[in-house]
Amino acid sequence: EPRSPCCCLAWTLVIGTMNSLVFLLNLLLMFVIFTIVLLPTIVVVYFGFQCHSQVLHSSARYCKSVLDDNSSSALIILGFVIMSPLLVVAMAVYCSLARRLQLLVCFQPYSLALYKGGRWCRPGEGAPCCARGCNTQLKAWV
């Protein structure tokens, strides 16, 4: 049966907040994984740009004694070359972890706000965000 307008608005806010939190959790997890996996690329490109005379030309001792313009250019090129495989690795790690944690199952449809008696999870799903012991009655709108 349909919910009242006030109840529907309250449930819409609850479901919207929950979906936003799940989205932010996914975004944070993706940011952490990509930062860790792409750290070698970030470091190599940073030192390449820092020590090149046409870009930043740092006065650090390692820039004067170890890295000249040719080696700085080589670092920049190396950084951008290794970025492509590392992006693939980072995406594979994120997808594997998201599938294992079942994070994409945690998004709830807004139809739960419109009708009473909807389930917070589907039978057979053991996602950590789903309520245990959810209603097993089948509804036509879910």
Side-chain angles (χ1 to χ4, degrees):
E1 69 187 69
R3 295 185 190 271
S4 67
C6 291
C7 187
C8 183
L9 179 63
W11 276 102
T12 302
L13 291 175
V14 168
I15 292 171
T17 303
M18 189 175 103
N19 286 344
S20 298
L21 289 175
V22 170
F23 174 75
L24 290 176
L25 177 70
N26 276 308
L27 200 63
L28 178 69
L29 181 67
M30 187 182 296
F31 177 75
V32 168
I33 289 173
F34 273 71
T35 301
I36 291 171
V37 172
L38 292 176
L39 191 60
T41 298
I42 295 167
V43 170
V44 167
V45 170
Y46 171 75
F47 281 118
F49 277 125
Q50 184 182 15
C51 294
H52 199 280
S53 65
Q54 299 295 322
V55 184
L56 293 177
H57 194 59
S58 175
S59 60
R61 188 172 57 186
Y62 57 84
C63 287
K64 293 178 181 177
S65 62
V66 178
L67 297 174
D68 59 352
D69 280 349
N70 291 333
S71 58
S72 296
S73 297
L75 282 178
I76 294 168
I77 292 169
L78 175 69
F80 284 113
V81 166
I82 65 174
M83 186 185 323
S84 296
L86 289 180
L87 280 172
V88 172
V89 169
M91 198 63 198
V93 168
Y94 168 73
C95 289
S96 172
L97 196 58
R99 183 183 304 148
R100 182 167 299 163
L101 295 176
Q102 297 181 353
L103 292 177
L104 301 177
V105 177
C106 295
F107 288 105
Q108 297 297 324
Y110 283 103
S111 64
L112 291 175
L114 300 176
Y115 299 103
K116 294 180 183 177
R119 297 184 318 260
W120 283 95
C121 61
R122 293 171 201 95
E125 291 177 354
C129 61
C130 292
R132 297 290 177 203
C134 59
N135 189 1
T136 58
Q137 293 177 342
L138 294 177
K139 301 285 184 182
W141 53 82
V142 178

